[in-house]
């Protein structure tokens, strides 16, 4: 359902899409495997909206403590050396199936532009093969001899526990 019907709303205000106010034209009915029909309305945008605004999941955590993907990206870039930030802003690569949702790339780029310095050259790359990019990148990383010191064996993890991760990968 997520990959075939959901979409990302163009902005976070969603004024026209409050619960109960979704136009009939945006409703979709789905037949589940057991034959039950379910009509989806605001769920079609609210599910992906949680990527941009996790506080809407109402888990009792304040909004400022639950940054969305755009805030995480901004914060990560701001933690880089000031001389690298321009390159970082101009080389953002999106990966994963959720980034294929209609409107995702545009919304991410717009939200990041609101946070970034006005002169930041924001360039978001969203290639068609991005659903496999994490796997490909992990495979390449695992093959590097310089990465071997960061490997955690099942045996090490069983003996030492999760603290081995901080010892082997302190970044």
């Amino acid at each position: 359902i997520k990959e075939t019907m959901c979409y990302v709303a163009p902005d976070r205000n969603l004024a026209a899409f409050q619960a109960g106010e979704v136009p009939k034209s945006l409703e979709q009915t789905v037949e589940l495997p057991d034959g039950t029909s379910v009509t989806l309305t605001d769920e079609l945008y609210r599910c992906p909206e949680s990527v941009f605004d996790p506080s809407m999941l109402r888990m009792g955590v304040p909004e400022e403590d639950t940054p969305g993907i755009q805030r995480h990206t901004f914060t990560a870039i701001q933690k880089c050396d000031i001389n690298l930030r321009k390159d970082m802003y101009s080389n953002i690569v999106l990966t994963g199936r959720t980034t294929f949702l209609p409107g995702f790339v545009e919304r991410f780029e717009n939200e990041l532009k609101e946070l970034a310095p006005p002169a930041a050259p924001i360039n978001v790359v969203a290639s068609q093969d991005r659903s496999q990019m994490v796997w490909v990148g992990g495979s390449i990383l695992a093959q590097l001899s310089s990465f071997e010191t960061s490997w955690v064996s099942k045996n090490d993890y069983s003996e030492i526990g999760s603290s081995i991760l901080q010892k082997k990968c302190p970044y």
Side-chain angles (χ1 to χ4, degrees):
I1 292 175
K2 179 188 100 172
E3 292 181 7
T4 60
M5 300 176 129
C6 287
Y7 60 92
V8 174
D11 65 55
R12 65 175 167 250
N13 295 325
L14 306 171
F17 297 112
Q18 296 303 318
E21 297 178 19
V22 177
K24 289 278 187 203
S25 62
L26 296 179
E27 288 183 1
Q28 295 197 35
T29 302
V30 179
E31 186 173 328
L32 301 176
D34 68 356
T36 307
S37 289
V38 177
T39 300
L40 301 170
T41 57
D42 62 337
E43 300 90 350
L44 296 173
Y45 75 85
R46 287 175 56 85
C47 288
E49 182 63 23
S50 64
V51 173
F52 294 95
D53 181 11
S55 70
M56 70 179 294
L57 297 174
R58 297 188 182 103
M59 297 178 353
V61 181
E63 186 173 345
E64 60 273 6
D65 293 338
T66 56
I69 188 171
Q70 72 283 6
R71 173 70 62 182
H72 278 297
T73 304
F74 169 74
T75 302
I77 292 173
Q78 289 302 110
K79 287 183 177 182
C80 292
D81 182 273
I82 196 163
N83 296 319
L84 297 175
R85 292 179 192 167
K86 182 179 175 184
D87 288 337
M88 298 299 280
Y89 278 117
S90 64
N91 290 290
I92 298 169
V93 179
L94 294 180
T95 63
R97 296 291 307 168
T98 299
T99 66
F100 281 93
L101 293 175
F104 187 96
V105 176
E106 296 82 3
R107 170 79 180 274
F108 174 78
E109 195 165 2
N110 289 337
E111 296 257 343
L112 189 59
K113 283 179 182 177
E114 287 181 24
L115 296 169
I122 296 182
N123 180 44
V124 177
V125 176
S127 69
Q128 288 300 76
D129 63 347
R130 66 187 179 267
S131 64
Q132 304 300 320
M133 290 176 83
V134 172
W135 176 258
V136 171
S139 298
I140 292 168
L141 185 63
Q143 292 178 14
L144 298 175
S145 59
S146 59
F147 188 65
E148 286 181 33
T149 59
S150 299
W151 291 358
V152 176
S153 70
K154 182 178 184 217
N155 204 21
D156 286 347
Y157 191 85
S158 296
E159 286 180 22
I160 301 169
S162 61
S163 64
I164 187 70
L165 299 175
Q166 289 300 317
K167 291 176 185 170
K168 293 261 190 164
C169 311
Y171 11 86

